[in-house]
C-alpha cells in the first residue's frame, strides 16, 4: 500500500508540474498578443530561455535555499519514494519560474536580453526562495511569530502572495527603473497608443493559463490524500467572477475580458482551500474590478508603462488575495476558518516588502 501511495503521489504532483509548465505557454502567448508585432519573436524566445535559466538555478541553488535539501547526491538516493522529491522540485520550479515570466510582461519591449536573464537567475536563486522558505517551510520563525501575534499563521495555499504578489511588485520596481517605452508619453502631454497586436493570441494565452491554473491550485495539495474539490470549484468561481467584473468595468474590451479571469485566479490562490464558492466568486469579482481600474490609472494618469499590467494583475490582485483569505476564509463568512485577518495582512505586507 505504501508503494502504491508513493507512486500515486509522484504521479499526482508530476501532472500538476506538467499543467503549470503549460502555463508558461500561456504567459508567452499573452505577452505575444499584447506587444507590438516587431517584438513578438523576442517575447517567445525570452519566456523559454527564462524558464531554462530558472530550472538550472532553482535545481542547484533555489530549492536548497527554500527547503534546505539539494540534489547533488547519487541517483540511488534520488529514486527513493518513486522519485517524489524530484517531481516535487519540478512542480515547485514551475512556480518559481513564473516570477520572471510575470516580470517579463511588465518590462516588455525595452529590457535588454542578457541583463534580464541575469536578473532571472538572482530572483529564482535567492530572492523568491528566501520568501518561499519563510511561508512554506517555517524559516526564521516568522510564521511562529505571526501566529503568536495574531492567533494564526499566514496562509497562502497556492501562492497569491508568494508567487504573484512577489512577481508583480518586483515588476513594478523594474518598470519604474526602466522608464516608459520610447515615445509612449510624448512631450506635448499626448500618449502614443500601443493596442494589443493580436487579440486571438492574447485570448489563447489567457485560456492556456486558465486551464493550467487548475493544476497550479489543486495540485498545491502536493499529495493525493489532501486533494480537495473545493479548491477546484473555488478556482472556477473566482475565474468567472473576474471575467464578468472585467467585462462590465472594461466596457466589453477584449483585452480586459481576457485578463479578468486571470485576476480572479491570482486572487483566489491563497484561500482557495478555505473559502465557500460564493466567497471565491466575490473575491474574483473584486479582483476583476481592481485590475481594470488600476490598469487604466497606471497607464493613463500615473504614466507607468507596465505593458501587460502585471503590477495590477499579479501585484495588487495577489495582495488582495492574501488579505481576502483572512476575510472569506473565516467561518463567519462561510469559510473553514483557521486564519486571521491580521495575520493575512501582516504576511501580505511582508511579501510586498
Amino acid at each position: 500500500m505504501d508503494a502504491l501511495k508513493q507512486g500515486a503521489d509522484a504521479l499526482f504532483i508530476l501532472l500538476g508540474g506538467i499543467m503549470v509548465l503549460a502555463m508558461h505557454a500561456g504567459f508567452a502567448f499573452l505577452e505575444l498578443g499584447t506587444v507590438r508585432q516587431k517584438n513578438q519573436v523576442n517575447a517567445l524566445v525570452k519566456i523559454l530561455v527564462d524558464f531554462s535559466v530558472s530550472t538550472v538555478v532553482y535545481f542547484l541553488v533555489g530549492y536548497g535555499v527554500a527547503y534546505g535539501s539539494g540534489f547533488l547526491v547519487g541517483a540511488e538516493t534520488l529514486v527513493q519514494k518513486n522519485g517524489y522529491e524530484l517531481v516535487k522540485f519540478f512542480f515547485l520550479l514551475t512556480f518559481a519560474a513564473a516570477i520572471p515570466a510575470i516580470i517579463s510582461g511588465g518590462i516588455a519591449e525595452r529590457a535588454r536580453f542578457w541583463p534580464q536573464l541575469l536578473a532571472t537567475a538572482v530572483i529564482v536563486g535567492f530572492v523568491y526562495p528566501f520568501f518561499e522558505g519563510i511561508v512554506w517551510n517555517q524559516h526564521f520563525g516568522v510564521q511562529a511569530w505571526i501566529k503568536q501575534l495574531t492567533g494564526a499563521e499566514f496562509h497562502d495555499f497556492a501562492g497569491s502572495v508568494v508567487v504573484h504578489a512577489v512577481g508583480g511588485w518586483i515588476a513594478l520596481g523594474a518598470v519604474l527603473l526602466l522608464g516608459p517605452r520610447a515615445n509612449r508619453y510624448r512631450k506635448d502631454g499626448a500618449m502614443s497608443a500601443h493596442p494589443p497586436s493580436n487579440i486571438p493570441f492574447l485570448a489563447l494565452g489567457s485560456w492556456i493559463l486558465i486551464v493550467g491554473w487548475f493544476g497550479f491550485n489543486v495540485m498545491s495539495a502536493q499529495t493525493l490524500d489532501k486533494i480537495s474539490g473545493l479548491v477546484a470549484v473555488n478556482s472556477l468561481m473566482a475565474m468567472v467572477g473576474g471575467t464578468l467584473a472585467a467585462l462590465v468595468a472594461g466596457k466589453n474590451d477584449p483585452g480586459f475580458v481576457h485578463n479578468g479571469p486571470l485576476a480572479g485566479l491570482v486572487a483566489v490562490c491563497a484561500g482557495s482551500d478555505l473559502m465557500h464558492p460564493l466567497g471565491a466568486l466575490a473575491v474574483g469579482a473584486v479582483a476583476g474590478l481592481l485590475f481594470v481600474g488600476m490598469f487604466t490609472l497606471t497607464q493613463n494618469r500615473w504614466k507607468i508603462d507596465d505593458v501587460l499590467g502585471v503590477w495590477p494583475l499579479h501585484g495588487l490582485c495577489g495582495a488582495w488575495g492574501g488579505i481576502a483569505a483572512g476575510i472569506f476564509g473565516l467561518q463567519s463568512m462561510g469559510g473553514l476558518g483557521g486564519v486571521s485577518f491580521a495575520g493575512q495582512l501582516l504576511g501580505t505586507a511582508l511579501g510586498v516588502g
Side-chain angles (χ1 to χ4, degrees):
M1 288 304 289
D2 268 358
L4 190 63
K5 183 188 180 325
Q6 285 169 11
D9 285 343
L11 178 62
F12 175 67
I13 202 167
L14 172 62
L15 292 174
I18 292 166
M19 287 179 77
V20 187
L21 174 62
M23 288 176 72
H24 288 265
F27 284 123
F29 276 93
L30 195 74
E31 186 171 330
L32 192 67
T34 308
V35 298
R36 286 168 289 180
Q37 203 164 354
K38 64 176 182 170
N39 294 308
Q40 287 180 335
V41 174
N42 174 263
L44 281 173
V45 172
K46 197 169 51 164
I47 297 281
L48 182 58
V49 178
D50 265 342
F51 185 86
S52 304
V53 169
S54 298
T55 302
V56 175
V57 172
Y58 197 68
F59 185 82
L60 294 175
V61 183
Y63 189 85
V65 170
Y67 299 102
S69 61
F71 302 107
L72 301 179
V73 292
E76 70 278 358
T77 308
L78 298 178
V79 84
Q80 288 170 5
K81 294 184 187 172
N82 296 78
Y84 177 79
E85 280 298 318
L86 281 175
V87 283
K88 183 184 172 187
F89 150 78
F90 176 30
F91 180 68
L92 290 166
L93 155 74
T94 57
F95 279 53
I99 303 268
I102 288 165
I103 296 165
S104 170
I107 60 175
E109 305 200 286
R110 63 210 187 277
R112 287 178 64 197
F113 188 71
W114 292 106
Q116 187 188 325
L117 284 185
L118 191 63
T120 291
V122 173
I123 289 162
V124 175
F126 299 101
V127 180
Y128 167 74
F130 175 75
F131 188 63
E132 180 187 15
I134 286 172
V135 177
W136 287 340
N137 201 38
Q138 304 290 331
H139 280 189
F140 310 113
V142 174
Q143 285 282 35
W145 172 69
I146 292 175
K147 186 174 183 178
Q148 188 187 351
L149 216 60
T150 66
E153 288 185 357
F154 171 61
H155 183 87
D156 189 357
F157 180 67
S160 280
V161 177
V162 176
V163 178
H164 298 287
V166 167
W169 284 86
I170 292 174
L172 176 66
V175 168
L176 292 173
L177 280 169
L178 279 172
R181 289 167 287 179
N183 209 35
R184 173 80 168 110
Y185 303 111
R186 299 205 299 269
K187 284 175 184 170
D188 60 3
M191 241 181 3
S192 298
H194 294 321
S197 59
N198 192 314
I199 295 291
F201 275 167
L202 189 157
L204 176 65
S206 175
W207 271 111
I208 295 170
L209 284 165
I210 288 166
V211 173
W213 224 298
F214 286 87
F216 195 96
N217 284 359
V218 176
M219 270 75 163
S220 284
Q222 294 195 15
T223 52
L224 202 52
D225 57 315
K226 293 190 179 79
I227 190 170
S228 170
L230 183 67
V231 177
V233 172
N234 281 346
S235 303
L236 178 71
M237 296 300 265
M239 174 216 137
V240 298
T243 306
L244 295 173
L247 172 77
V248 174
K251 297 172 183 164
N252 299 15
D253 180 284
F256 284 140
V257 167
H258 286 94
N259 274 286
L262 309 182
L265 283 159
V266 164
V268 83
C269 287
S272 55
D273 62 329
L274 299 176
M275 298 174 189
H276 187 279
L278 291 177
L281 184 70
V283 168
V286 170
L289 296 174
L290 187 62
F291 172 72
V292 173
M294 292 307 292
F295 179 85
T296 308
L297 206 58
T298 50
Q299 295 282 340
N300 299 346
R301 185 169 301 175
W302 297 342
K303 294 186 166 45
I304 297 171
D305 193 13
D306 177 354
V307 181
L308 268 71
V310 298
W311 177 62
L313 183 66
H314 298 275
L316 295 178
C317 292
W320 157 240
I323 295 162
I327 302 169
F328 292 94
L330 299 171
Q331 285 183 314
S332 57
M333 296 293 283
L336 295 178
V339 283
S340 77
F341 177 72
Q344 293 305 112
L345 204 58
L346 192 54
T348 302
L350 276 175
V352 168

